[in-house]
Amino acid sequence: MKIVVIGGTGLIGRKVVGKLNDRGHEAVPAAPSTGVNTLTGEGLAAVLDGADAVVDVTNSPSFEPSAVLDFFTTSTRTLLAAEQTAGVAHHLALSIVGIDDLPDNGYFRAKVAQEQLIKQGPVPYSIVRATQFFEFVKGIADTATEGDTVRVPPVLFQPMAADDVAEAVAGAVVEGPLKGTIEVAGPEVFRFDELIAEALRAWHDPRTVVSDPHARYFGSEPAERSLVPDEGRARLAGTRFEDWLRRSS
């Protein structure tokens, strides 16, 4: 299969390209740096010529609510229209577990809008919702930091390795259109505050983690299960946080 990976030069995209090529497919990375722009349509017709499927793992350059909404809606409309013209048979998008439950989060609202466009669009689709990545734990802690204190809600958290996310995406696009959504998550459930504290200790980071039930997560106050999939619903990845943390440290 020829599979075009939009956002194929990023953290997940590079891994998806590698995994698909390893399976014998022709995976083509597409991004502004390769001459493909999903906002303007530049380069799309050429890269989609002969493509069997498209994987969209793009990310907005801005997290400002109106900018991120414009990015995902404009990009998705442009991409779906180009896929329809090219005769692409499968559109797969990477999304996030829990986006329906945190409406105060502008990024999550934009991802909901993206999913709606895909579901209503002309191309058979699959949506893979993943939990947060281990690789984002430090950035999450930095965002929650006030002085030397990291305020984190004591809710459930089930992150996964970026490599496992890419494996799930590569597997799903090869399986063919689901015309639905699957969820993927790490193999272990943690308390959010306890996982952040464990990571900071491993990194010899002197900041203190404070458990705060009203602490916000990128603008929203999550409930107990806002950040984890429904029990028994998700496909669980294999990499444990402790093992990843040991390697990263």
Side-chain angles (χ1 to χ4, degrees), residues 200-235:
L200 295 185
R201 284 194 300 270
W203 295 328
H204 306 291
D205 190 313
R207 287 178 288 179
T208 300
V209 176
V210 173
S211 177
D212 181 352
H214 300 295
R216 291 186 168 264
Y217 176 72
F218 295 105
S220 294
E221 187 175 309
E224 175 74 353
R225 298 193 60 85
S226 293
L227 304 178
V228 297
D230 292 339
E231 292 184 86
R233 177 179 176 182
R235 301 180 183 182

Side-chain angles (χ1 to χ4, degrees), residues 7-236:
T9 59
L11 171 65
I12 301 298
R14 290 195 308 271
K15 293 176 182 292
V16 172
V17 168
K19 290 178 183 297
L20 289 172
N21 284 333
D22 287 345
R23 295 182 185 201
H25 301 287
E26 179 191 358
V28 181
S33 62
T34 70
V36 178
N37 189 318
T38 54
L39 293 177
T40 65
E42 177 189 359
L44 273 179
V47 78
L48 294 180
D49 184 32
D52 300 289
V54 168
V55 171
D56 183 0
V57 291
T58 52
N59 202 359
S60 172
S62 170
F63 279 33
E64 191 278 323
S66 61
V68 71
L69 178 63
D70 180 66
F71 174 85
F72 280 118
T73 54
T74 300
S75 175
T76 300
R77 287 190 183 101
T78 304
L79 186 54
L80 290 173
E83 290 173 19
Q84 183 181 30
T85 299
V88 173
H90 186 191
H91 176 98
L92 184 147
L94 178 62
S95 192
I96 307 167
V97 167
I99 55 177
D100 305 300
D101 297 330
L102 298 172
D104 294 334
N105 184 314
Y107 190 93
F108 282 15
R109 288 199 305 273
K111 292 298 287 185
V112 169
Q114 180 191 35
E115 287 191 8
Q116 290 172 342
L117 288 172
I118 293 167
K119 292 173 183 178
Q120 297 164 2
V123 182
Y125 72 92
S126 301
I127 295 171
V128 177
R129 284 187 172 188
T131 53
Q132 294 296 331
F133 311 160
F134 295 158
E135 287 79 0
F136 291 168
V137 167
K138 186 180 184 301
I140 291 170
D142 292 345
T143 301
T145 296
E146 301 171 0
D148 295 326
T149 299
V150 184
R151 294 191 176 277
V152 185
V155 298
L156 298 180
F157 197 54
Q158 195 172 348
M160 63 189 297
D163 195 64
D164 289 339
V165 176
E167 182 63 34
V169 168
V173 72
V174 171
E175 289 175 9
L178 295 170
K179 298 183 180 177
T181 301
I182 60 170
E183 293 188 339
V184 294
E188 305 163 287
V189 180
F190 301 88
R191 287 287 170 185
F192 198 174
D193 53 328
E194 293 173 357
L195 180 136
I196 297 294
E198 179 183 349
L200 295 185
R201 284 194 300 270
W203 295 328
H204 306 291
D205 190 313
R207 287 178 288 179
T208 300
V209 176
V210 173
S211 177
D212 181 352
H214 300 295
R216 291 186 168 264
Y217 176 72
F218 295 105
S220 294
E221 187 175 309
E224 175 74 353
R225 298 193 60 85
S226 293
L227 304 178
V228 297
D230 292 339
E231 292 184 86
R233 177 179 176 182
R235 301 180 183 182
L236 301 184

